[in-house]
Amino acid sequence: MSKETSQRIGIEGVHEIKEWIEATTRFAFTFSVYDNEVTCTRICLNGDKKAFDLEGISVPTKDRVSRPISVECKKYSTVGHQGNEYRKFLAIAYSDTANTIKTYGHDAEREYMWITTHPFSQTRWPELLTLSHLRECVEENKVLVDGQAIDDDLLAKVAARIWVMVVGQKQIDIRLTRDELAVAERALKKEGYRV
């Protein structure tokens, strides 16, 4: 596949995932890597930078506060190298969180979401969100933590904020349009929901 084709598929995939997930009314994404790379970039303890595909927030509800969220979108038709890419994604999530605490003195409580159109690591699926898997991934990519010891409490917090979703093309195709979403949001607001 040519670089141009890959880029087009990537842009298309990010747009589709953004519309699909925003149609849940649980998330709002202001930036994509294609229109604001700086805002979408997370920084690891060693200074390495990773631009995520989407940056936004979880929409607050009566039961949940708003949190920043970084999303990595994968529009794949095969497994590809997702298993390895996901492992690095986990290490980046931990390192970025540790770097935020080091830089600003507090945890932004950022959530990290991996959304793909094709399943991956099926034989390890039950482990993908576990604390032990996150530790394994951070240890495997220890250059990202710049020689610092892994903090077990922080590891547990980050593990609880990782999302993995597999979204098929048919699910994407039935998403609400922007007009339909606006109607749904007005109705929810009328009923007292914050959207």
Side-chain angles (χ1 to χ4, degrees):
M1 177 183 319
S2 73
K3 187 174 180 178
E4 292 78 15
T5 300
S6 179
Q7 176 87 354
R8 182 187 50 75
I9 290 170
I11 292 169
E12 179 182 286
V14 168
H15 173 75
E16 289 175 344
I17 292 298
K18 178 183 185 295
E19 283 192 352
W20 173 80
I21 198 161
E22 284 183 333
T24 69
T25 73
R26 300 291 186 202
F27 303 94
F29 294 98
T30 310
F31 303 104
S32 84
V33 69
Y34 300 107
D35 58 33
N36 195 324
E37 185 174 347
V38 172
T39 301
C40 294
T41 299
R42 313 298 338 134
I43 303 172
C44 295
L45 282 166
N46 69 344
D48 280 8
K49 297 176 181 180
K50 164 62 177 147
F52 282 86
D53 292 316
L54 294 170
E55 283 293 324
I57 60 166
S58 57
V59 175
T61 65
K62 56 186 170 190
D63 301 323
R64 191 178 65 199
V65 299
S66 180
R67 289 189 174 159
I69 186 162
S70 298
V71 179
E72 187 67 16
C73 304
K74 299 293 181 189
K75 185 170 182 167
Y76 281 33
S77 56
T78 65
V79 172
H81 300 288
Q82 283 190 88
N84 290 335
E85 292 172 12
Y86 176 73
R87 294 174 70 77
K88 188 165 184 184
F89 162 85
L90 291 176
I92 291 167
Y94 174 85
S95 186
D96 171 57
T97 302
N99 188 57
T100 298
I101 293 168
K102 178 182 171 189
T103 303
Y104 300 105
H106 67 277
D107 183 358
E109 299 184 10
R110 178 176 301 280
E111 298 187 32
Y112 300 88
M113 190 177 289
W114 179 276
I115 305 177
T116 181
T117 56
H118 197 284
F120 65 99
S121 299
Q122 290 95 329
T123 60
R124 296 195 72 187
W125 192 258
E127 304 166 28
L128 295 183
L129 297 174
T130 64
L131 185 62
S132 61
H133 186 69
L134 177 56
R135 172 180 287 287
E136 184 182 301
C137 295
V138 173
E139 288 171 348
E140 183 179 293
N141 292 280
K142 61 178 132 188
V143 68
L144 296 174
V145 296
D146 203 30
Q148 294 192 20
I150 297 172
D151 179 321
D152 289 331
D153 291 334
L154 183 59
L155 203 65
K157 289 176 184 176
V158 173
R161 296 185 209 141
I162 301 292
W163 299 61
V164 177
M165 294 187 198
V166 178
V167 182
Q169 190 61 49
K170 287 185 179 183
Q171 289 171 289
I172 291 169
D173 291 344
I174 64 169
R175 70 190 180 272
L176 295 175
T177 66
R178 290 197 182 277
D179 291 340
E180 292 167 335
L181 182 57
V183 170
E185 286 178 337
R186 281 195 300 277
L188 288 169
K189 284 179 184 174
K190 187 176 178 182
E191 294 298 319
Y193 290 92
R194 294 189 319 181
V195 290

